[in-house]
């Protein structure tokens, strides 16, 4: 398997790598349940969490992941970050990279922000913690670990994603992962919340939630930023949205008994999901939170823990080969 | 003491293939230039002060680029009249029209006069400003078009943004055409493109960025054509990027309306695929579109619906481009890639060489009423000499423009300007600005 250099998006990682990360993640779930939740894997490594966009849960999840692996973790959030003062993304990236972190975790509201930085940073692994509406790879790994625990196998299953697809990095990353991992995705939303040509990802698209429910193995409810979307005419009211696209018990009952409920959080109770569903037996929402820490531990480990040595060796080998080549030319 | 009053020397371009579409000329001939004017075309044995050997080359009227942003006054770190003129000279362009979105805007005769004078002092390329339609480009009050025209403005536009208010557009078309003036529209329905970064479609969906649908252009072109019919105005679509807009222009022309259109090389050479890797140097407005739209623009160029090629040369500093796709400024530099990219049209049998040259010379000259774009005897001696087959690799660092924002960096180009003559003077020769 190709060693991981960055985790920028599901687009850039292979099925093999995804499976490896899930495999690596499972034991970390157990570690986190122990009274002493600490492994020495990343001792002496530095992880910087650079959050240009507010997200307490993702940041906390990355922070815990680093700390449980004994890395030195530093959080920089938008309120304290220099970009507010007009420093460019590139300057911030360069400045932080000069401090020699091993991993830079980036959340930014601009699509491609971490891809852009990764191009300029040489010795730092970049992890995408969400870039605009583009990708959110660690969330997808989280979901896949959760579903693996629920079903054993993901291949052939159907995940139905409901809500604001247009502004969702989770939906895009799942569409990319589905093609690699062999599961099916259904998308449910009014046309206002569906980006054009989304069906080209190979998913089924529904405007009618009830029509999409039978045959769904998971119902994945997306967070709806109701005020913003309402004022921009994406839908008329929360009341009507909930009626058309909210998940209530009645709808959950229409799905099979095995069907589980997911949500990337934070939830708007009574908007995209009813409280009795969110807190019910088929909800895996808190498992997602727990697994989130574990897969992020797996990502950090793969980037600078277990994989670090072979990577360095590979580089040395490359250098040796290049030197040999050069010598041959001289001769 | 004797003063040499005649600084104009004579110049002979020998042995080239002379193509002058305005006069239906396409033949091997020498071009004789005297006192800044075309003196004769044919076989010449007399000797001249300067002789240019044009064997294997095409000798054409100097090109006209009717859509450039020169950034002066106001943003001289991106480009100024001198650097823009150098880029033009290196591109075979001897006349260019700069857009009014400078700081201050080109909405007063004083600014228009000032930049023309600047260009004359630089002396590498003629400058014909396109002045603002509305004061401060605000779309509220009309500028003093007669006064601006007297100062040298050749058309009117709020480019950078559209004239979005239908009522103002109606008045602009009516008032301008009362004096024969042309309105150049950046056609974009802003409410449909709000927040947009690239073309709306499969690529914007994959990247998760807001898109700008072609319907933003189409709806405004459709509206404007109706207003042109209502007002009997003169209307020109800048940087047409949508196939349906091309069809609207085709219908309007068939109906006999005074409607014209220009296409930029990037819109007929590239597609939205260029931004798939978040490449900010392929971000401009209107954005690169789908292959379907690209083909429709080619068809428009082929059948004459689009009679003009103009670059929408839009220099931006690296700082405004190297900040991620979503934050990056809109626009690419276009002058120095204009000819090689456009020559693709000839190589792919979309146009004849003569048709292509017409789209860069006499067609814009006719639309704007410029005394340029031909090699008629007596015409101002603006000449472009190029080798249509020369291959070279574009290196952004070697561009004459101050800004380096081009999507063609590192790509192989075919066709290169070797000499540019402006006003009877050699201003560019084999990679160097002369004078
Ligand atoms: Zn424009």
């Amino acid at each position: 398997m190709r060693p991981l250099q960055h985790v920028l998006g599901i687009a850039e990682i292979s099925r093999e790598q995804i499976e490896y990360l899930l495999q690596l993640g499972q034991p970390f779930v157990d570690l986190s349940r122990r009274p002493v939740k600490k492994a020495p894997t990343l001792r002496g490594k530095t992880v910087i969490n650079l959050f240009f966009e507010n997200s307490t849960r993702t940041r906390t999840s990355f922070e815990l992941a680093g700390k449980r692996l004994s890395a030195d973790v530093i959080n920089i959030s938008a309120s304290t970050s220099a970009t507010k003062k007009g420093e460019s993304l590139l300057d911030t990236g360069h400045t932080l990279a000069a401090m020699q972190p091993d991993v830079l975790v980036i959340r930014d509201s601009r699509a491609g922000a971490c891809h852009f930085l990764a191009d300029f940073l040489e010795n730092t692994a970049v992890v995408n913690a969400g870039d605009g509406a583009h990708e959110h790879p660690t969330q997808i790994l989280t979901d896949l670990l959760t579903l693996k625990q629920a079903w054993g196998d993901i291949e052939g299953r159907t995940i139905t994603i409901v809500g604001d697809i247009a502004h969702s990095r989770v939906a895009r990353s799942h569409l990319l992962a589905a093609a690699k991992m062999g599961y099916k995705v259904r998308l449910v939303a009014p046309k206002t919340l569906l980006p054009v040509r989304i069906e080209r990802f190979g998913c089924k698209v529904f405007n009618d939630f009830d029509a999409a429910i039978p045959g769904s193995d998971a119902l994945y409810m997306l967070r709806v930023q109701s005020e913003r979307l309402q004022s921009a005419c994406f839908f008329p009211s929360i009341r009507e949205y909930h009626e058309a696209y909210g998940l209530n018990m009645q709808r959950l009952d229409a799905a099979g008994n095995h069907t589980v409920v997911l949500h990337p959080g934070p939830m708007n109770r009574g908007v995209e999901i009813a409280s009795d569903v969110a807190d019910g037996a088929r909800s895996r929402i808190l498992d997602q939170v727990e697994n989130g820490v574990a897969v992020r531990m797996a990502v950090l480990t793969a980037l600078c823990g277990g994989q670090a040595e072979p990577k360095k060796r590979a580089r040395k080998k490359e250098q040796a080969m290049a030197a040999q080549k050069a010598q041959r030319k001289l001769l | 003491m004797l003063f040499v009053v005649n600084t104009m020397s004579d110049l002979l371009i020998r042995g080239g293939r002379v193509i002058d579409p305005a006069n239906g000329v396409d033949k091997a001939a020498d071009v004789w230039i005297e006192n800044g004017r075309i003196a004769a075309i044919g076989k010449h044995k007399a000797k001249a002060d300067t002789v240019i050997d044009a064997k294997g080359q095409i000798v054409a009227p100097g090109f006209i680029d009717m859509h450039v942003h020169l950034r002066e006054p106001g943003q001289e770190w991106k480009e100024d009249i001198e650097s823009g003129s150098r880029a033009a000279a290196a591109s075979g362009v001897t006349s260019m029209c700069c857009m009014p979105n400078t700081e201050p805007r080109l909405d007063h005769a004083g600014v228009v006069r000032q930049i023309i004078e600047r260009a004359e002092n630089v002396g590498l390329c003629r400058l014909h400003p396109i002045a603002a339609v509305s004061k401060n480009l605000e779309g509220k009050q009309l500028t003093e078009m007669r006064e601006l025209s007297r100062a040298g403005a050749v058309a009117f536009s709020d480019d950078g943004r559209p004239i979005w208010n239908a009522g103002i557009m109606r008045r602009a078309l009516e008032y301008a055409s009362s004096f024969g003036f042309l309105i150049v529209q950046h056609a974009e329905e802003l409410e449909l493109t709000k927040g947009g970064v690239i073309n709306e479609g499969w690529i914007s969906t994959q990247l998760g960025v807001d898109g700008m649908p072609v319907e933003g252009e189409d709806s405004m072109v459709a509206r404007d054509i109706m207003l042109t019919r209502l007002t009997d105005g003169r209307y020109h679509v800048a940087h047409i990027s949508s196939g349906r807009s091309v069809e609207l222009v085709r219908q309007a022309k068939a109906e006999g309306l005074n409607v014209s259109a220009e296409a930029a090389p990037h819109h007929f050479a590239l597609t939205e695929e260029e931004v798939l890797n978040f490449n900010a140097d392929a971000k401009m407005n209107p954005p690169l579109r789908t292959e379907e739209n690209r083909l429709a623009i080619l068809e428009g160029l082929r059948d004459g619906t689009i009679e003009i090629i103009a670059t929408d040369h839009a220099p931006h500093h690296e700082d405004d481009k190297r900040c991620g796709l979503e934050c990056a400024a809109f626009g690419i530099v276009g002058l120095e890639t204009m000819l090689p990219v456009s020559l693709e049209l000839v190589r792919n049998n979309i146009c004849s060489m003569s048709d292509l040259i017409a789209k860069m010379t006499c067609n814009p000259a006719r639309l704007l009423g410029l005394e340029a774009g031909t090699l008629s005897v007596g015409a101002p001696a603006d000449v472009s000499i190029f080798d249509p087959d020369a291959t070279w690799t574009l290196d952004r660092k070697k561009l004459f423009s101050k800004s380096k924002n081009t999507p063609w960096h590192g790509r192989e180009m075919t066709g290169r300007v070797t000499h540019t003559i402006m006003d009877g003077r050699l201003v560019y020769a084999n990679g160097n600005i002369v004078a």
Side-chain angles (χ1 to χ4, degrees):
Chain A
M1 187 185 73
R2 192 162 47 89
L4 276 172
Q5 207 192 341
H6 303 290
V7 176
L8 299 177
I10 297 292
E12 285 86 5
I13 56 181
S14 65
R15 176 179 181 142
E16 226 187 337
Q17 288 170 324
I18 293 171
E19 274 165 357
Y20 169 74
L21 289 169
L22 296 179
Q23 208 183 339
L24 203 59
Q26 184 57 48
F28 288 132
V29 179
D30 307 328
L31 174 77
S32 295
R33 286 180 183 170
R34 276 194 237 144
V36 177
K37 312 168 196 317
K38 203 92 170 172
T41 323
L42 299 189
R43 194 181 289 150
K45 304 281 182 185
T46 307
V47 176
I48 297 183
N49 292 327
L50 178 58
F51 276 60
F52 290 119
E53 194 183 59
N54 262 335
S55 168
T56 314
R57 32 174 71 219
T58 307
R59 205 207 61 224
T60 310
S61 185
F62 269 106
E63 184 176 356
L64 273 178
K67 285 185 169 163
R68 284 184 183 166
L69 292 169
S70 310
D72 297 313
V73 181
I74 287 149
N75 293 315
I76 300 172
S77 65
S79 50
T80 58
S81 132
T83 47
K84 280 249 161 104
K85 291 178 224 140
E87 192 179 61
S88 79
L89 177 63
L90 189 58
D91 286 334
T92 309
H94 276 313
T95 305
L96 293 175
M99 297 173 189
Q100 308 296 338
D102 298 279
V103 181
L104 195 53
V105 177
I106 302 168
R107 158 71 66 95
D108 196 296
S109 60
R110 293 162 285 191
C114 51
H115 301 68
F116 172 73
L117 272 187
D119 279 350
F120 289 97
L121 306 181
E122 276 179 7
N123 301 312
T124 306
V126 175
V127 177
N128 185 358
D131 63 325
H134 181 229
E135 279 234 51
H136 195 1
T138 58
Q139 178 67 47
I140 272 55
L141 294 170
T142 300
D143 301 340
L144 295 183
L145 184 58
T146 307
L147 293 173
K148 245 182 127 147
Q149 290 161 355
W151 303 330
D153 198 4
I154 304 165
E155 200 157 345
R157 299 280 185 161
T158 297
I159 302 180
T160 299
I161 304 176
V162 187
D164 185 5
I165 312 291
H167 304 98
S168 174
R169 46 192 164 226
V170 173
R172 276 179 187 76
S173 287
H174 261 299
L175 289 163
L176 292 166
K180 293 186 177 181
M181 307 304 288
Y183 60 94
K184 297 187 193 86
V185 173
R186 293 179 184 173
L187 300 177
V188 181
K191 283 186 185 176
T192 46
L193 295 176
L194 287 165
V196 295
R197 318 253 185 287
I198 189 88
E199 70 287 346
R200 283 182 63 173
F201 274 110
C203 53
K204 270 199 180 153
V205 179
F206 296 78
N207 301 127
D208 177 359
F209 189 9
D210 294 302
I213 290 175
S216 295
D217 298 303
L219 295 172
Y220 197 125
M221 309 309 295
L222 297 176
R223 175 181 166 76
V224 170
Q225 289 191 311
S226 45
E227 272 154 42
R228 193 169 76 88
L229 295 179
Q230 223 175 302
S231 66
C233 290
F234 285 99
F235 56 80
S237 68
I238 294 171
R239 183 164 156 262
E240 184 148 305
Y241 182 86
H242 183 67
E243 197 181 285
Y245 298 103
L247 182 57
N248 53 29
M249 257 319 165
Q250 205 186 338
R251 285 197 166 118
L252 184 56
D253 287 340
N257 282 331
H258 65 286
T259 303
V260 296
V261 177
L262 300 178
H263 192 296
M267 285 183 282
N268 292 307
R269 290 167 182 265
V271 183
E272 70 267 8
I273 190 164
S275 275
D276 50 353
V277 174
D279 303 332
R282 289 149 79 182
S283 163
R284 299 280 172 153
I285 297 169
L286 291 177
D287 297 343
Q288 284 174 283
V289 178
E290 184 180 20
N291 290 328
V293 179
V295 297
R296 288 175 181 116
M297 290 168 82
V299 164
L300 295 177
T301 303
L303 287 173
C304 65
Q307 292 275 318
E309 293 315 311
K311 216 163 92 185
K312 246 180 223 160
R313 241 179 281 141
R315 208 176 298 146
K316 265 189 192 155
K317 206 173 155 192
E318 261 176 33
Q319 282 168 356
M321 272 167 62
Q324 264 181 10
K325 244 190 200 165
Q327 220 161 24
R328 244 176 277 148
K329 258 188 200 160
L330 282 175
L331 295 172
Chain B
M1 201 173 158
L2 197 76
F3 287 97
V4 180
V5 283
N6 182 15
T7 55
M8 298 275 190
S9 55
D10 53 353
L11 198 153
L12 178 64
I13 304 163
R14 198 153 54 193
R17 174 181 166 198
V18 176
I19 303 182
D20 180 19
N23 294 306
V25 170
D26 183 346
K27 62 178 183 191
D30 301 336
V31 177
W32 189 270
I33 293 167
E34 226 172 17
N35 296 323
R37 303 256 159 189
I38 304 290
I41 294 189
K43 274 266 161 267
H44 281 270
K45 297 226 171 67
K47 84 181 197 278
D49 298 336
T50 312
V51 178
I52 296 167
D53 178 15
K55 200 175 272 174
Q57 315 248 79
I58 291 175
V59 181
F63 303 141
I64 299 167
D65 186 349
M66 71 167 284
H67 195 139
V68 300
H69 296 268
L70 293 182
R71 307 302 186 207
E72 180 180 348
Q75 295 187 307
E76 290 84 353
W77 64 91
K78 297 182 175 186
E79 192 84 287
D80 58 25
I81 287 167
E82 184 173 355
S83 64
S85 296
R86 291 164 67 87
S91 315
V93 172
T94 52
S95 298
M96 57 183 166
C97 301
C98 58
M99 287 296 170
N101 59 339
T102 48
E103 282 298 336
R105 318 294 197 188
L106 304 187
D107 60 358
H108 272 89
V111 199
V112 170
R113 269 189 222 104
Q114 182 197 324
I115 60 168
I116 292 174
E117 198 184 303
R118 271 278 287 145
E120 281 169 357
N121 289 338
V122 172
L124 294 171
C125 183
R126 300 175 198 273
L127 187 61
H128 302 286
I130 291 182
V133 168
S134 70
K135 285 180 187 154
N136 204 27
L137 305 182
E138 278 170 356
K140 288 178 184 157
Q141 281 181 292
L142 297 182
T143 54
E144 293 174 329
M145 294 186 192
R146 276 165 55 82
E147 168 89 357
L148 287 159
S149 165
R150 276 198 297 267
V154 295
F156 296 87
S157 178
D158 275 357
D159 188 64
R161 61 180 77 170
I163 304 153
W164 73 90
N165 179 313
I168 301 287
M169 186 57 170
R170 173 192 177 159
R171 296 301 177 219
L173 285 164
E174 282 174 343
Y175 187 78
S177 62
S178 306
F179 309 101
F181 303 150
L182 176 74
I183 299 289
V184 177
Q185 174 73 304
H186 168 117
E188 177 185 0
E189 175 54 58
L190 297 172
E191 289 296 326
L192 285 175
T193 57
K194 198 157 59 182
V197 177
I198 59 171
N199 182 45
E200 179 169 322
W202 173 227
I203 307 290
S204 67
T205 289
Q206 288 178 83
L207 297 183
V209 298
D210 283 339
M212 311 165 91
V214 284
E215 284 73 10
E217 180 169 315
D218 301 337
S219 58
M220 191 158 282
V221 170
R223 178 202 80 176
D224 289 346
I225 287 173
M226 291 179 195
L227 293 174
T228 304
R229 186 184 297 124
L230 172 69
T231 60
D232 198 18
R234 291 186 66 209
Y235 175 70
H236 178 78
V237 186
H239 41 55
I240 200 163
S241 73
S242 151
R244 239 172 255 121
S245 290
V246 174
E247 181 53 33
L248 289 167
V249 170
R250 186 177 287 125
Q251 287 168 10
K253 285 185 157 186
E255 192 190 322
L257 300 178
N258 251 319
V259 170
S260 57
E262 78 198 20
H266 49 268
H267 286 130
F268 59 74
L270 305 175
T271 67
E272 56 174 358
E273 304 274 326
E274 296 288 325
V275 285
L276 200 47
N277 60 349
F278 295 101
N279 179 10
D281 282 331
K283 176 184 175 182
M284 73 291 285
N285 183 13
L288 297 176
R289 305 288 194 184
T290 59
E291 179 67 1
E292 201 185 351
N293 286 293
R294 189 183 79 86
L295 294 174
I297 292 169
L298 289 180
E299 180 52 29
L301 286 159
R302 197 193 60 75
D303 73 7
T305 301
I306 303 168
E307 66 270 51
I308 291 166
I309 292 171
T311 64
D312 193 11
H313 178 79
H316 283 294
H317 193 268
E318 199 175 302
D319 291 347
D320 299 319
K321 279 292 193 182
R322 280 205 347 190
C323 53
L325 182 65
E326 282 184 276
C327 307
F330 288 102
I332 63 168
V333 290
L335 278 167
E336 291 166 78
T337 44
M338 182 190 199
L339 176 75
V341 175
S342 299
L343 280 169
E344 284 295 313
L345 298 175
V346 179
R347 289 190 284 268
N348 295 328
N349 295 315
I350 308 290
C351 318
S352 67
M353 187 63 87
S354 177
D355 282 347
L356 172 67
I357 291 170
K359 289 179 198 299
M360 305 198 294
T361 57
C362 54
N363 293 359
R366 199 175 302 131
L367 183 72
L368 298 167
L370 305 181
E371 197 196 359
T374 84
L375 297 177
S376 306
V377 170
D382 294 347
V383 185
S384 167
I385 306 172
F386 62 95
D387 179 344
D389 303 315
T391 57
W392 53 292
T393 303
L394 186 104
D395 178 354
R396 68 201 308 165
K397 284 188 230 104
K398 292 189 179 150
L399 293 176
F400 284 89
S401 176
K402 267 189 198 176
S403 293
K404 314 297 176 191
N405 47 316
T406 171
W408 284 288
H409 174 64
R411 296 201 200 177
E412 177 108 327
M413 299 274 138
T414 304
R416 191 167 210 177
V417 172
T418 58
H419 299 82
T420 306
I421 292 150
M422 199 277 296
D423 206 18
R425 285 181 296 119
L426 185 65
V427 292
Y428 174 83
N430 298 313
N432 299 302
I433 300 290
V434 184

